[in-house]
Amino acid sequence: MHLTLSQFNQAYERRFPTCHLIPMFVDSEVLEETESEDGSIHQVQRRCKLDVDAPRLLKRIAGVDYVYFSQENTLNKRERTLHIESHNETFSNRVIIHELCSYSAHPENDDWTCFEQSASLDIKSFFGFESTVEKMAMKQYASSIKKGKEIIEFYLNQLEEEGISHVPRWTPSLDAPFSSSSSVTTKPVCATPTLLQLELPVTPALDADYIKRYLGDLTPLQESCLIRLRQWLQESHKGKIPKDEHILRFLRARDFNMEKAREILCQSLTWRKQHQVDYLLETWTSPQVLNDYYTGGWHHHDKEGRPLYILRLGQMDTKGLVRALGEESLLRHVLSINEEGLRRCEENTKVFGRPISCWTCLVDLEGLNMRHLWRPGVKALLRIIEVVEANYPETLGRLLILRAPRVFPVLWTLVSPFIDENTRKKFLIYAGNDYQGPGGLLDYIDKEVIPDFLGGECMCEVPEGGLVPKSLYRTAEELENEDISLWTETIYQSASVFKGAPHEVVIEIIDASSVITWDFDVCKGDVVFHLYHSKRAPQTPRKDPLVGQHSSITTPGGNNVQLIDKSWTLGLDYSMVESPLTCKEGESVQGSHVTRWPGFYILQWKFHTMPGSASTNLPRVDDVLASLQVSSHKCKVMYYTEVIGSEDFRGSMTSLESSHSGFSQLSHATSSSNHSQSSSMISR
């Protein structure tokens, strides 16, 4: 149910002084109650009496029948937050239990309330029963989490029965003095040395109606994983944050292993950004040969409301399409199909009123023969499978393979190792006309939408295919050039940074009022970012006679270029205009520098060496050759730079800051740029 903070607070207060739904909660008394002058902040301090479910022997040894807790509630009506902090009074010299609960209004929907809960248990000593007390506390805490939601819903229903279905939001009176939320302080949590410490994780909660409507059934652990991963993205990822449904796909693909899911999700987000996949549906136009000969298309939905995609693979001339289009065009087309599938899932979720996060694919293999096993075609298919598996996990709900011929086992042997095990479990394969019998197509697709070419009555607009005319074939050189142009349509460049060999980019500034902007992702390793200014133009590195190559090298991981001459002296030949910024692996950094002087500005990404590491005086190229043998001495960045007018930039930065308010704003200035304006944003 949707729950506003005001409704929750009224329901929560009904738990006191006793609550019949919590048998161990015997009694409570208010020790102190205060309210700010304007009525916006209400604080209550209580002493609660608990009859803990513990063995009688343990209670006798401890010499107590009841346990007492101190609880402090702070309701800030202006900020719309409720903080509850509690700790034990009984045995506080032996055991320290500290719990924090926080309720706040959802930032995007005022009708929802966000909930976070954490607790810590520090056991110094307890008559030799430390392990028993620890297990009891864990059991009790887990039980209270599960029961807490039920209790709140009970009192909310009670409020509704009494005719209280809406509690108006607090508004200050015009003559009331203003009370800043900063005047309310909470007790700090002190770190106490202990013999045994148990930290319980934060357990946020999502609205039950939202989960049911858009996400489906989630266990408390799964819900917690989703919230924590989304929160991590909001704090560390620059750019568009995926919707909960998409984050959930990556979690499900890794069985809700947070670290594994985060790793593949971050890789996918970097890939989407580099190749501008978010704009694919608006920018990609299928070549006419695909419209005529690619035998696939969307066709209504299955019985569960999932979008239905039909692929008549047996009628497709895969060799002709690869020869006419190239591997990259086919891949781009398949990506557009997947993007369209995501869009259709969102639409069907709204239409059917239940979460639909994947689609069904029907593959008709009638006509499949050895021509489809042409090696370049199979290679293209395997690469497409690899890209889709990595970036669209858990989007395939079911794959129906119909009319599989004798040659199919050969194709299946080739491609199945590249398909995730969870995905393979969703495959249903029918030979001949088996799909027409029991357990066949009618179990999954309504009779009214079965395509005509499968004996149904529904006209299917999927092209019938046929052989691609050889006149449309292109030479290998033409395809290679087009493949490069397709996948280099990115404004970002990649660079490698080695220990002893930074990557540097020079920008010449003619107009002193210009603004240099940068945007880069640290894909691997840790780097230090610098910005220098020089009146002299950096010279292209000369050929090193010892190595026989330039210091500007190209590697499979990206370019590496050094421009600052080793004979230059910092402060004399060039100066630092931005203080160094250390950037960790996975971070996104956006920044700007309003230039004061014309000349040459050098952006530098340098390998970050941890303090205490041994330094080296080897020549740069030697360092590069040595570090190439050690993968831990290599970093990789993906960057974009631009020079724009100062006035235009100020307007765009205002917009950028307002739309990315979640990022921390870091401003840096050095003595060499006292009169320049600079700013950078870093996402951790």
Side-chain angles (χ1 to χ4, degrees):
M1 62 180 66
H2 294 169
L3 177 61
T4 65
L5 190 63
S6 300
Q7 287 174 295
F8 169 82
N9 184 57
Q10 284 213 5
Y12 179 80
E13 287 296 327
R14 295 202 170 200
R15 296 172 56 165
F16 303 101
T18 60
C19 178
H20 70 280
L21 297 173
I22 311 177
M24 73 171 188
F25 185 27
V26 179
D27 194 13
S28 66
E29 61 175 324
V30 176
L31 301 180
E32 185 179 359
E33 185 170 4
T34 60
E35 191 172 77
S36 61
E37 292 183 29
D38 64 354
S40 64
I41 299 174
H42 183 216
Q43 289 182 314
V44 180
Q45 186 173 351
R46 292 185 176 91
R47 191 168 188 252
C48 302
K49 181 179 178 181
L50 306 180
D51 184 6
V52 179
D53 182 17
R56 183 175 296 274
L57 176 62
L58 186 59
K59 286 185 177 182
R60 181 173 297 180
I61 292 175
V64 298
D65 289 322
Y66 301 103
V67 175
Y68 291 90
F69 272 75
S70 177
Q71 184 189 77
E72 184 174 315
N73 299 354
T74 302
L75 174 65
N76 191 321
K77 301 174 185 177
R78 185 185 299 277
E79 301 293 335
R80 304 181 68 200
T81 60
L82 173 63
H83 296 289
I84 304 170
E85 183 176 355
S86 60
H87 63 271
N88 64 304
E89 294 180 359
T90 308
F91 302 122
S92 58
N93 61 329
R94 296 179 177 272
V95 179
I96 298 176
I97 301 173
H98 188 268
E99 184 176 16
L100 287 172
C101 295
S102 176
Y103 300 85
S104 59
H106 192 282
E108 298 176 2
N109 191 324
D110 289 342
D111 293 333
W112 295 350
T113 298
C114 299
F115 169 58
E116 290 187 1
Q117 182 176 7
S118 64
S120 63
L121 170 66
D122 299 344
I123 303 177
K124 298 178 181 180
S125 64
F126 202 84
F127 313 106
F129 289 91
E130 290 81 9
S131 177
T132 302
V133 172
E134 178 186 335
K135 292 177 181 178
M136 283 170 46
M138 283 288 293
K139 179 181 177 182
Q140 198 69 55
Y141 186 70
S143 176
S144 66
I145 291 176
K146 184 177 180 181
K147 193 138 184 96
K149 188 175 180 181
E150 298 175 5
I151 295 171
I152 286 297
E153 289 180 348
F154 172 82
Y155 286 118
L156 282 172
N157 292 331
Q158 194 178 80
L159 285 170
E160 289 185 0
E161 291 172 0
E162 296 174 8
I164 305 174
S165 59
H166 174 71
V167 179
R169 185 186 300 183
W170 176 87
T171 54
S173 60
L174 297 177
D175 57 346
F178 175 76
S179 175
S180 171
S181 60
S182 61
S183 64
V184 179
T185 58
T186 57
K187 298 178 181 178
V189 180
C190 299
T192 306
T194 61
L195 298 177
L196 174 64
Q197 185 177 56
L198 172 67
E199 289 290 341
L200 300 178
V202 174
T203 53
L206 285 170
D207 180 81
D209 286 354
Y210 169 75
I211 295 175
K212 182 178 180 181
R213 179 70 173 77
Y214 295 100
L215 304 179
D217 294 330
L218 295 179
T219 67
L221 177 61
Q222 292 171 345
E223 181 182 335
S224 175
C225 288
L226 171 60
I227 290 292
R228 284 187 286 145
L229 184 51
R230 182 181 65 182
Q231 191 172 30
W232 182 86
L233 286 171
Q234 291 170 339
E235 294 171 353
S236 63
H237 176 64
K238 183 197 78 67
K240 185 178 179 182
I241 301 297
K243 296 182 179 180
D244 287 347
E245 303 93 297
H246 198 57
I247 298 175
L248 199 54
R249 292 185 178 104
F250 285 86
L251 284 167
R252 284 173 172 152
R254 291 298 179 266
D255 294 323
F256 287 87
N257 182 306
M258 272 282 296
E259 292 303 316
K260 292 181 179 180
R262 182 170 65 181
E263 180 182 356
I264 61 173
L265 178 55
C266 288
Q267 291 173 354
S268 179
L269 292 176
T270 300
W271 170 81
R272 293 182 71 88
K273 176 180 177 180
Q274 184 171 11
H275 299 297
Q276 304 174 61
V277 179
D278 286 334
Y279 309 103
L280 190 60
L281 291 180
E282 291 78 21
T283 58
W284 167 250
T285 302
S286 300
Q288 189 58 43
V289 65
L290 274 176
N291 297 332
D292 295 338
Y293 295 98
Y294 188 87
T295 55
W298 295 99
H299 180 79
H300 301 282
H301 55 79
D302 68 6
K303 286 188 173 182
E304 297 178 51
R306 296 168 174 169
L308 176 62
Y309 190 83
I310 292 180
L311 181 65
R312 303 185 67 179
L313 186 60
Q315 303 299 313
M316 186 184 296
D317 181 9
T318 53
K319 179 178 181 179
L321 288 174
V322 173
R323 291 291 302 272
L325 292 169
E327 184 179 324
E328 296 297 336
S329 287
L330 278 176
L331 175 58
R332 185 69 66 93
H333 184 63
V334 172
L335 294 182
S336 71
I337 293 171
N338 281 269
E339 289 296 305
E340 174 66 15
L342 295 177
R343 188 189 67 79
R344 286 176 178 258
C345 283
E346 288 186 20
E347 285 186 356
N348 285 19
T349 295
K350 296 175 183 177
V351 171
F352 293 99
R354 60 177 182 273
I356 295 175
S357 60
C358 54
W359 51 82
T360 293
C361 185
L362 186 155
V363 180
D364 179 25
L365 296 183
E366 185 182 52
L368 190 77
N369 53 46
M370 293 303 294
R371 180 184 176 86
H372 292 87
L373 301 181
W374 179 60
R375 187 174 181 82
V378 173
K379 176 190 171 187
L381 176 61
L382 294 179
R383 187 186 172 202
I384 288 171
I385 291 174
E386 181 182 10
V387 173
V388 171
E389 283 281 307
N391 297 285
Y392 301 91
E394 297 298 313
T395 53
L396 181 65
R398 182 177 294 112
L399 181 66
L400 303 170
I401 300 177
L402 310 185
R403 303 198 279 194
R406 291 182 178 181
V407 73
F408 172 71
V410 181
L411 180 61
W412 179 247
T413 301
L414 292 173
V415 302
S416 60
F418 296 88
I419 301 173
D420 180 75
E421 182 180 355
N422 289 335
T423 304
R424 290 202 300 268
K425 293 177 181 177
K426 301 171 184 177
F427 285 31
L428 294 173
I429 303 173
Y430 301 89
N433 293 324
D434 290 349
Y435 69 93
Q436 296 177 345
L441 205 54
L442 282 174
D443 284 10
Y444 306 103
I445 301 175
D446 288 326
K447 180 180 179 181
E448 294 76 17
V449 298
I450 292 181
D452 50 355
F453 65 85
L454 292 175
E457 300 177 356
C458 186
M459 293 294 295
C460 183
E461 297 181 358
V462 173
E464 294 184 0
L467 294 177
V468 177
K470 291 187 177 181
S471 59
L472 298 178
Y473 286 11
R474 307 175 72 179
T475 65
E477 184 177 359
E478 289 174 330
L479 291 174
E480 182 178 352
N481 291 336
E482 181 158 317
D483 286 353
I484 294 173
S485 68
L486 277 171
W487 282 110
T488 54
E489 291 174 353
T490 171
I491 59 177
Y492 293 87
Q493 299 183 59
S494 295
S496 295
V497 179
F498 303 94
K499 190 172 184 179
H503 178 70
E504 294 163 349
V505 174
V506 63
I507 297 176
E508 184 178 6
I509 296 297
I510 306 298
D511 182 3
S513 64
S514 300
V515 179
I516 302 173
T517 68
W518 54 84
D519 179 350
F520 64 89
D521 294 331
V522 185
C523 303
K524 179 181 179 182
D526 301 342
V527 300
V528 181
F529 176 72
H530 297 265
L531 181 64
Y532 300 104
H533 171 263
S534 174
K535 296 179 180 179
R536 300 167 52 186
Q539 299 297 317
T540 303
R542 292 181 299 172
K543 200 170 187 178
D544 193 319
L546 296 176
V547 182
Q549 65 177 18
H550 288 76
S551 293
S552 174
I553 64 174
T554 301
T555 71
N559 295 324
N560 178 272
V561 177
Q562 297 114 54
L563 300 169
I564 298 177
D565 196 289
K566 287 193 294 182
S567 64
W568 281 14
T569 302
L570 182 63
L572 181 64
D573 300 293
Y574 67 109
S575 60
M576 185 184 298
V577 294
E578 289 275 353
S579 59
L581 183 63
T582 301
C583 310
K584 302 293 185 181
E585 179 175 336
E587 289 180 350
S588 294
V589 182
Q590 309 82 47
S592 64
H593 179 85
V594 182
T595 62
R596 177 167 173 76
W597 313 283
F600 299 90
Y601 287 79
I602 302 170
L603 287 75
Q604 182 192 77
W605 292 268
K606 188 176 182 180
F607 185 94
H608 176 55
T609 303
M610 298 298 293
S613 299
S615 59
T616 177
N617 294 319
L618 289 174
R620 280 187 171 187
V621 175
D622 289 352
D623 276 354
V624 172
L625 295 176
S627 63
L628 281 172
Q629 308 301 320
V630 185
S631 60
S632 61
H633 290 172
K634 175 182 175 181
C635 303
K636 185 177 179 181
V637 295
M638 189 172 72
Y639 67 93
Y640 165 71
T641 63
E642 185 180 11
V643 178
I644 54 180
S646 181
E647 292 182 0
D648 295 337
F649 172 75
R650 289 192 184 100
S652 64
M653 270 302 294
T654 302
S655 173
L656 182 66
E657 290 169 9
S658 64
S659 62
H660 296 309
S661 58
F663 297 119
S664 56
Q665 181 88 13
L666 304 178
S667 298
H668 303 279
T670 64
S671 58
S672 61
S673 59
N674 288 334
H675 301 287
S676 66
Q677 301 176 28
S678 64
S679 65
S680 61
M681 295 188 293
I682 183 168
S683 317
R684 283 190 169 89

